[in-house]
Amino acid sequence: MLEKLTLIALSAACSAGVANAESPIWRAQQEAIYEPSASNSDRLTLSLTSTHVYNSEGLTLETTNASPGGQRQRVSYVYTDGRVTQELTETLVGGEWQRVKLRNRTYDPQTGIITLNEEYNYVDGQAKPGNCYERRIKRDDAGNVTEVTIAVLFNGEYDETQRMTVTPTSIVFDELTFDGVGLVWSRSEEYTNIVWERTDGQIVSSDDLYTGANRLLSAHYVNDNGSKPYYDYDIAATYGDDNDFDCTMSGLYQGLADAEVIRSYRETKADDGSMTYAMTTSYDVVGSPEPAELYSEELRVDAWGLETLYRTTSWLEGEEPAVDSERITEVDYDATVGYPLKATSTENGTLLVSIEYADYVDCTQLGALRGIRVADSAAPDCFNLRGQRVSPSARGLKLSRGAKRFE
């Protein structure tokens, strides 16, 4: 199943671009976050204030959060070639900063994907391993990816648990599972008979096979969902301008035989610089008298990277679409420069949060090392910290909320 085909992942990949280095990079140094009060959901109260320090590229070097109750937290970042390679979280206790979490990361220089993630949580001043994993990438003599393995830290050693094998015409996934006797590798899903519309040979995941450098034209997909036949269908995709595409999946889908699922992805850029990303999915059964079921997701992001609309809609073919959920953010912009001053979000008519942005600075006018703090590592300092990254000043999504999945 194409569960990893998400609107947020697609829109983030498609919006990647390098900002003009000569253009101003405006960043708010102060943020005030207001949330509904516990006693009155219609009244907003201050819940957090944040102070940010940036470098000349617009990268956040340090963020200090303060709650009305006096709690303070500080997050410091270290970068290599524009990517976060170290992140230290501290809290203020008794007038002294104490460590809470430390994260070290290494990236694959060709694709930018994480190859090492080591997290340490501090308990009574002692570092305890948290989410630690390695992504091991193998390439052939031509530099094309042939295998990607995920290994997680267990009892002080990295044990492989997932494996993706890549050939010019297939992508196969295996997982380490328990068969009642011991641990064995078992097939979880696979794409075979792949024909590429284009590929650069750098396939390190199946999160997105329809935009960017790797666009799948046709293939066969199988996934038994861990127990019984569940997905066994043919894929056919066509491409339009930019990143628009249509993908048809025909066969066994979610246990339903003779299914036909069509997904249509569209990107639209408005005159004000905002981008709208939309995915419409149609579910039908060949020969069935029942009308096709349709589902759509629409995401709109303004020129400053703020999500201003997220809407899901469902309907039956021949009927009027009905909105299932809608999250709207109203933004007040500066009259001169145009950067956001206030953003207020509601979901299905219910007030969620309001954020006020202040004390803007053009980061290009800052010294490159302004305010930098290099955090001491509790982990062995033996990582090759390399990689490339699109500048955060580039227009497009910079979201951390969980991606919505198309089922």
Side-chain angles (χ1 to χ4, degrees), residues 69 113 119 155 221 255 282 299 334 342:
I113 198 168
E119 292 185 2
N155 287 338
Y221 181 80
S282 170
L299 179 67
D334 175 76
K342 183 179 180 180

Side-chain angles (χ1 to χ4, degrees), residues 192-206:
T192 56
N193 303 324
I194 294 177
V195 177
W196 295 101
E197 192 265 349
R198 67 188 186 201
T199 180
D200 64 356
Q202 301 304 305
I203 302 166
V204 290
S205 76
S206 62

Side-chain angles (χ1 to χ4, degrees), residues 133-291:
Y133 65 88
E134 288 183 343
R135 181 179 279 106
R136 300 165 180 171
I137 302 175
K138 294 182 180 179
R139 292 179 167 89
D140 59 20
D141 293 339
N144 298 315
V145 173
T146 59
E147 183 179 278
V148 180
T149 305
I150 301 294
V152 297
L153 185 65
F154 181 72
N155 287 338
E157 296 184 0
Y158 283 95
D159 294 333
E160 295 183 349
T161 59
Q162 301 176 46
R163 182 174 62 207
M164 181 181 79
T165 305
V166 183
T167 74
T169 59
S170 67
I171 306 175
V172 176
F173 299 86
D174 297 297
E175 295 183 355
L176 198 63
T177 59
F178 184 70
D179 66 354
V181 178
L183 294 173
V184 297
W185 285 101
S186 62
R187 184 64 39 85
S188 58
E189 55 181 323
E190 60 183 355
Y191 296 83
T192 56
N193 303 324
I194 294 177
V195 177
W196 295 101
E197 192 265 349
R198 67 188 186 201
T199 180
D200 64 356
Q202 301 304 305
I203 302 166
V204 290
S205 76
S206 62
D207 287 355
D208 174 20
L209 299 178
Y210 298 91
T211 61
N214 299 288
R215 305 206 309 194
L216 188 150
L217 195 61
S218 63
H220 188 76
Y221 181 80
V222 175
N223 186 333
D224 64 4
N225 202 36
S227 57
K228 60 182 180 180
Y230 203 63
Y231 299 103
D232 190 339
Y233 55 74
D234 292 317
I235 301 171
T238 57
Y239 298 89
D241 297 336
D242 299 323
N243 293 297
D244 294 353
F245 68 84
D246 295 284
C247 176
T248 300
M249 291 151 282
S250 305
L252 181 69
Y253 191 93
Q254 292 184 346
L256 190 63
D258 299 320
E260 183 177 75
V261 179
I262 302 174
R263 288 179 177 149
S264 299
Y265 176 77
R266 299 292 184 268
E267 292 184 6
T268 307
K269 185 174 183 178
D271 294 338
D272 61 4
S274 64
M275 290 291 298
T276 299
Y277 309 93
M279 178 79 82
T280 300
T281 305
S282 170
Y283 301 85
D284 198 7
V285 176
V286 178
S288 172
E290 299 296 325

Side-chain angles (χ1 to χ4, degrees), residues 22 33 76 78 99-100 121 139 179 198 254 260 285 287 312 335 343 350 363 374:
E22 298 179 356
I33 301 173
S76 307
V78 177
R99 292 184 173 192
V100 175
N121 300 306
R139 292 179 167 89
D179 66 354
R198 67 188 186 201
Q254 292 184 346
E260 183 177 75
V285 176
T312 63
T350 301
C363 295
V374 179

